[in-house]
Amino acid sequence: MTYLLALLLLVAPPNIVWGGVTLGESGDAIVQHLGKPDRVRSASTSTSWYYDHTTAGAATAIKINAGNAKRITLSYLRGGSVRDPYGVLLGGTVEDLLAKRGIPTAKNCWGWLVYETDQDTGWFYVVERKSIVAIGVGYLPIIYCPTDSWG
């Protein structure tokens, strides 16, 4: 029995919570604890929910696909103090990001720096003028383009 439990713990990915939302969480559960989104944008295969109220100085965007959160992004609002699980400050510098996380796995065509995890998820960082303006997490692939690579 102990062996089976240990095996399940190795296989089951940990819950990833970002901005108060758990990756894979149902839309109904999100609405129960965050309320209705301030804005909604629908696309052919998914819907994006936007919460303009702040979470310690960040706005939240959630991509919903098949009823569940597939990507969670926090965007910097002035005076914010949000750090990701790796210690990277939203609103901080790209130099700090590289010092804490190393070289990204990929850089997509929009300039997002992507760090894949050992599961099927990845963290991404949106950088403008050497500042981190958004940090997100989602299931892979995270909007890759045909020529994605770092460098």
Side-chain angles (χ1 to χ4, degrees), residues 67-137:
N68 298 317
K70 300 299 182 192
R71 189 169 70 219
I72 307 159
T73 308
L74 299 186
S75 298
Y76 180 72
L77 297 175
R78 189 174 194 164
S81 60
V82 176
R83 289 187 184 272
D84 73 4
Y86 303 94
V88 178
L89 177 66
L90 181 58
T93 66
V94 70
E95 290 82 9
D96 183 55
L97 166 65
L98 295 173
K100 287 185 168 59
R101 299 289 321 258
I103 300 297
T105 307
K107 178 180 179 182
N108 74 12
C109 58
W110 291 351
W112 298 4
L113 304 181
V114 179
Y115 292 83
E116 294 179 5
T117 63
D118 56 353
Q119 296 106 30
D120 59 348
T121 59
W123 287 84
F124 62 91
Y125 302 81
V126 181
V127 178
E128 292 178 3
R129 297 186 196 114
K130 297 187 179 186
S131 293
I132 301 165
V133 297
I135 301 175
V137 64

Side-chain angles (χ1 to χ4, degrees), residues 8-26:
L8 287 173
L9 289 174
L10 288 174
V11 173
N15 288 337
I16 299 173
V17 179
W18 186 231
V21 178
T22 302
L23 196 59
E25 185 173 8
S26 75

